[in-house]
Amino acid sequence: MAHPMLATLERELTLYRRLWQASVFSSFLLPLLFVLSIGVGVGSYVNANGGLGGVDYLSYIAPGVVITTAFQIGIGESTYPVLGGFKWTRSYQAMRSAPVEPWHMVGGHLLYLMFRGVIATIAFLIIVGTFGAMHSWWAPATILIAAIVTVSVAGPVTAFAASIENDNYFALLFRFGVIPATLFSGVFFPVDQLPALVRPLAYASPLWHGVVLSREATLGWPTPWPIWIHVGYLVAWTAVGVALAIWRFRKRLED
């Protein structure tokens, strides 16, 4: 028999095989349209004034949008699917009746999200590469960065989804968490253009650390802090998030 964690991953992939068409628009076409409208459309006005940071605007936002895609996959796929697995389909309760522990469920779920994030990142890099937005041979490292950003946010959100009974809380998460992080984490403009009092909020976001690492990989720009600090911060988010998710899964399945 396959390892229970791999069996959980196989279940996720089997479901995805039947529903993958629904994710094409959000994972591939939306980022492409976004790059064309903002990177090329709005970028024409920014480039007319000399670009941003010495590069054209598309090259500036491309690494940020790539990581934002992985960020949103990690959060979006850890909200309703996780809550639904406990409350509506009760698939986690069914797994628990088999020799599957909570950490197997969480691990399989996060491996699946890494797969989703990596596939979307590869496709996106190919797309923006055709527009000449990749300027370094280290650009493929963005795939690893996207993977760790995905799990760094998926862990805490999975724990949150396993702790609630009402899906109305997700609207608050998206409104006060995902949208501000997307707008103010250095994806579209440098964080140092924000008021000094607001910048610590951007620095606290895992998305900002992923964006600066991705920009280092695709543009060769040095990161604001040493690379190990950015990576260590994402690893810390991952470790804490996974521990919380396993704890919440175990508690909910025992109640």
Side-chain angles (χ1 to χ4, degrees):
M1 187 182 68
H3 189 279
M5 185 182 296
L6 296 181
T8 304
L9 171 62
E10 182 181 1
R11 170 189 176 272
E12 299 279 6
L13 292 175
T14 300
L15 292 174
Y16 182 67
R17 185 178 62 184
R18 298 176 180 177
L19 303 171
W20 66 270
Q21 295 92 338
S23 70
V24 171
F25 185 71
S26 60
S27 298
F28 299 98
L29 294 183
L30 273 182
L32 172 60
L33 295 175
F34 194 81
V35 166
L36 291 175
S37 60
I38 303 298
V40 178
V42 176
S44 62
Y45 297 98
V46 179
N47 297 335
N49 294 314
L52 191 59
V55 298
D56 62 279
Y57 192 57
L58 175 59
S59 296
Y60 181 85
I61 69 167
V65 176
V66 168
I67 298 301
T68 300
T69 301
F71 174 81
Q72 293 177 346
I73 288 175
I75 292 179
E77 294 295 326
S78 298
T79 51
Y80 291 98
V82 173
L83 177 60
F86 282 110
K87 187 174 181 179
W88 300 311
T89 65
R90 300 183 67 82
S91 57
Y92 293 122
Q93 287 86 343
M95 292 183 201
R96 191 66 187 95
S97 64
V100 180
E101 297 290 337
W103 71 273
H104 297 143
M105 303 176 197
V106 173
H109 173 68
L110 296 180
L111 287 174
Y112 164 69
L113 294 186
M114 288 180 64
F115 165 78
R116 289 283 309 278
V118 165
I119 294 298
T121 299
I122 292 174
F124 200 89
L125 288 176
I126 293 174
I127 291 170
V128 297
T130 61
F131 287 90
M134 299 291 104
H135 300 270
S136 170
W137 288 106
W138 284 100
T142 303
I143 299 171
L144 297 178
I145 299 168
I148 190 172
V149 168
T150 301
V151 296
S152 71
V153 296
V157 175
T158 297
F160 174 68
S163 305
I164 61 177
E165 293 291 341
N166 193 326
D167 60 356
N168 289 335
Y169 290 108
F170 293 144
L172 299 176
L173 173 65
F174 291 125
R175 182 172 301 174
F176 298 108
V178 177
I179 294 176
T182 301
L183 294 177
F184 304 116
S185 293
V187 178
F188 307 107
F189 58 88
V191 168
D192 56 16
Q193 293 184 3
L194 292 171
L197 292 176
V198 181
R199 291 175 202 166
L201 296 177
Y203 300 148
S205 169
L207 180 57
W208 177 73
H209 294 271
V211 169
V212 297
L213 287 171
S214 179
R215 208 159 271 147
E216 157 91 13
T218 59
L219 298 178
W221 288 6
T223 54
W225 305 337
I227 291 178
W228 68 266
I229 293 180
H230 296 291
V231 174
Y233 187 78
L234 294 174
V235 170
W237 265 76
T238 300
V240 172
V242 170
L244 287 174
I246 294 173
W247 171 59
R248 292 308 308 173
F249 267 57
R250 188 177 304 279
K251 181 174 177 57
R252 185 152 187 170
L253 290 170
E254 291 176 352
D255 289 343

